[in-house]
Amino acid sequence: MEPFSSTKQNHNNNNTLTKPSLHVESPPLEPSPLRKIIVVASIAAGVQFGWALQLSLLTPYVQLLGIPHTWAAYIWLCGPISGMLVQPIVGYHSDRCTSRFGRRRPFIAAGSFAVAIAVFLIGYAADLGHSFGDDLSKKVRPRAIGIFVVGFWILDVANNMLQGPCRALLGDLCAGNHQKTRNANAFFSFFMAVGNVLGYAAGAYSKLYHVFPFTKTTACDVYCANLKSCFFLSIALLTTLATAALVYVKEVPLSPEKAVIDSDDNGGMPCFGQLFGAFRELKRPMWILLLVTCLNWIAWFPFLLFDTDWMGREVYEGTVGEGKAYDRGVRAGALGLMLNSVVLGATSLGVEVLARGVGGVKRLWGIVNFLLAVCLAMTVLVTKMAQHSRQYTLLPNAHQEPLPPPAAVKAGALALFSLLGIPLAITYSIPFALASIFSSTSGAGQGLSLGVLNLAIVIPQMVVSVISGPWDALFGGGNLPAFVVGAVAAAASGILSIILLPSPPPDLAKAATAAGGGFH
């Protein structure tokens, strides 16, 4: 998973993909009060709460339903695919929406409603599958898997449908005021971190289902009931925040006569024509940025997919659906992701200071990519230490249950999660800032350049989703092979960032460091 979706994406700070022959007039606006900007930005906490649950709990959950680890990554294809398709379409039409409720608010409302439906399908997949005839004595539950996949795809589409207009509404409220635009991005990133912390904290708590006792059923065990309870909280948080924003913040409707559409749009999807046409306008700095970003996400995505599964399988040596070891590991991984989000939020506030300290944003990006490579490589060491110190207890049925790893091993794994918050904060900010800088100095539109940058993010996610499962299976079925490939990609990204990526002008770099993005 906006996370993620995930992907996790919604990386565009400007949803309008423009070209000279296409223009949409927007109503003239004065900058809105900061309190309205904060209310809209807070929606990010509700969305990111759900993304955090996806990233921490859903990979183990799909295996509990019977999807093999090798194939679990294919489920995550919906994040990058929906990000690539839904974001341009929703952004394009929200720019031209003439509803009396405004341009962005109808999409935010529809996205929130779709998220609630998707979360219900995911949470109740096991129960619905059992009602439709799944045999609980069998490991694979095909009907539950089908319902889960449908809900998961709806969730990713809905999240992309929601976050793009939310960011665009923030831009509308700022009305071109640079200081308020920087503040809006800062608050959006802050609330993303808040949502992550809340989501990972909920995922790490093993008795949350006691709050919703009806969630534990014949088809839904304790782990499943906890997941269901977490999603109930997710719906409540997102609905509350979105409703507050929609009620409190009003929009000036766009009148039909002010939407001027060029006749060459061909009645199809001109947003994609503009997006891919932007490649013809790209200069060398943007091409290098795309390459570095692509390698960076090849490094990140395996870990974002399988971080909690790595804790459950390799560090705690658990098996999905058998004993308590795997569940303990997943909860420990959720705690690690919560620590990761705390470091992410703190680092995000200090990106400009860090860049000045190391001599520029491109050097900072290169350095943290080396840190990312080291952390991913260290997962091998932590796994070997856990295996070497493993102890077992004998269960009444004569089966051996692995005991939790020693405190030093667990501390090492949690330290890796925490340290990875530093490069993740840079990944969520600097590439988008550089895209804005390079587009402003090359003559290409920022919307087009950011749209192309999004392709450099979602395409690697799609590639990793397809090949990571079979690649891991080739080397025994664990997560380490994909992590090692990620470490190599991160090192390559760091080298290219330092050697080939041009340094932006200092004044523009300072102005752009407030730009941010998210994994979806």
Side-chain angles (χ1 to χ4, degrees):
M1 341 144 152
E2 146 23 123
F4 145 108
S5 161
S6 339
T7 30
K8 347 131 120 120
Q9 5 241 201
N10 71 27
H11 301 283
N12 292 359
N13 292 326
N14 178 1
N15 276 352
T16 306
L17 302 178
T18 59
K19 62 180 180 180
S21 60
L22 178 62
H23 175 67
V24 176
E25 281 189 39
S26 58
L29 294 174
E30 293 294 327
S32 297
L34 187 60
R35 62 180 180 274
K36 290 189 175 182
I37 293 174
I38 293 175
V39 170
V40 173
S42 69
I43 297 176
V47 177
Q48 207 65 24
F49 188 103
W51 278 114
L53 294 177
Q54 289 188 62
L55 293 173
S56 61
L57 300 180
L58 285 194
T59 293
Y61 182 54
V62 298
Q63 296 177 72
L64 189 65
L65 295 179
I67 300 177
H69 176 270
T70 304
W71 298 96
Y74 290 106
I75 302 293
W76 288 89
L77 275 173
C78 58
I81 290 176
S82 63
M84 185 169 61
L85 299 178
V86 175
Q87 281 189 48
I89 294 174
V90 171
Y92 181 85
H93 289 289
S94 73
D95 284 335
R96 292 154 179 78
C97 179
T98 57
S99 167
R100 65 188 179 91
F101 299 105
R103 293 191 295 172
R104 320 295 183 186
R105 292 164 75 232
F107 290 91
I108 294 175
S112 300
F113 180 70
V115 167
I117 294 175
V119 165
F120 175 82
L121 290 175
I122 291 173
Y124 278 89
D127 297 301
L128 293 173
H130 179 52
S131 300
F132 293 144
D134 275 345
D135 186 351
L136 299 183
S137 64
K138 295 182 179 179
K139 187 175 182 179
V140 178
R141 308 179 192 177
R143 295 167 184 82
I145 292 172
I147 294 169
F148 170 83
V149 170
V150 171
F152 194 54
W153 276 78
I154 294 175
L155 181 61
D156 272 333
V157 170
N159 276 329
N160 280 289
M161 181 179 179
L162 173 61
Q163 288 199 62
C166 182
R167 278 193 178 275
L169 180 56
L170 285 175
D172 295 342
L173 294 175
C174 295
N177 185 297
H178 290 180
Q179 180 179 357
K180 288 202 171 184
T181 300
R182 292 194 295 269
N183 289 335
N185 278 299
F187 280 118
F188 196 89
S189 298
F190 170 76
F191 282 113
M192 283 177 61
V194 170
N196 276 336
V197 171
L198 293 176
Y200 294 139
Y205 184 52
S206 62
K207 297 182 180 180
L208 188 61
Y209 72 96
H210 289 309
V211 180
F212 306 97
F214 59 88
T215 57
K216 190 173 183 297
T217 63
T218 303
C220 188
D221 62 8
V222 172
Y223 180 85
C224 171
N226 272 325
L227 176 70
K228 198 185 297 182
S229 301
C230 288
F231 274 128
F232 282 148
L233 294 179
S234 173
I235 292 176
L237 179 62
L238 177 60
T239 301
T240 301
L241 295 174
T243 301
L246 294 174
V247 171
Y248 182 58
V249 180
K250 306 297 182 183
E251 284 188 277
V252 178
L254 179 68
S255 57
E257 61 270 14
K258 287 188 177 181
V260 182
I261 308 297
D262 187 85
S263 59
D264 292 334
D265 285 349
N266 298 322
M269 294 184 180
C271 48
F272 292 110
Q274 297 169 61
L275 184 64
F276 290 105
F279 279 104
R280 295 193 299 268
E281 302 179 30
L282 295 183
K283 301 296 175 62
R284 185 174 182 270
M286 270 300 296
W287 283 112
I288 297 174
L289 175 62
L290 294 180
L291 177 60
V292 175
T293 301
C294 180
L295 290 170
N296 194 203
W297 278 97
I298 289 176
W300 270 118
F301 207 55
F303 187 79
L304 294 173
L305 276 181
F306 298 117
D307 41 23
T308 54
D309 187 66
W310 168 67
M311 286 290 285
R313 282 177 177 270
E314 277 86 358
V315 179
Y316 279 71
E317 202 179 297
T319 302
V320 179
E322 298 180 11
K324 299 179 180 179
Y326 185 82
D327 187 40
R328 290 194 191 105
V330 170
R331 290 201 307 272
L335 174 62
L337 289 172
M338 184 182 68
L339 297 175
N340 174 279
S341 297
V342 173
V343 176
L344 164 65
T347 306
S348 297
L349 298 177
V351 171
E352 186 175 334
V353 175
L354 291 173
R356 287 201 303 265
V358 300
V361 290
K362 75 157 193 169
R363 186 170 296 175
L364 174 61
W365 195 12
I367 291 172
V368 299
N369 273 332
F370 292 134
L371 175 61
L372 171 60
V374 171
C375 288
L376 291 176
M378 288 294 289
T379 60
V380 178
L381 177 61
V382 171
T383 300
K384 298 303 180 184
M385 290 174 60
Q387 293 173 350
H388 180 71
S389 59
R390 187 80 66 214
Q391 294 184 356
Y392 299 86
T393 183
L394 189 63
L395 299 179
N397 58 5
H399 283 85
Q400 286 187 332
E401 172 83 3
L403 293 174
V409 174
K410 183 177 179 179
L414 294 179
L416 288 183
F417 276 90
S418 301
L419 284 173
L420 285 169
I422 298 174
L424 190 60
I426 306 306
T427 298
Y428 281 175
S429 58
I430 285 182
F432 307 97
L434 291 178
S436 297
I437 293 169
F438 294 153
S439 66
S440 65
T441 57
S442 67
Q446 289 193 22
L448 289 173
S449 297
L450 290 171
V452 172
L453 182 67
N454 192 54
L455 294 181
I457 295 170
V458 299
I459 291 175
Q461 292 178 13
M462 294 168 64
V463 172
V464 171
S465 294
V466 170
I467 68 173
S468 61
W471 174 259
D472 287 339
L474 186 64
F475 292 92
N479 296 298
L480 295 183
F483 290 178
V484 171
V485 171
V488 174
S493 179
I495 293 172
L496 293 178
S497 175
I498 294 175
I499 295 178
L500 295 181
L501 199 62
S503 295
D507 54 337
L508 289 176
K510 182 178 180 180
T513 49
F519 157 64
H520 306 306

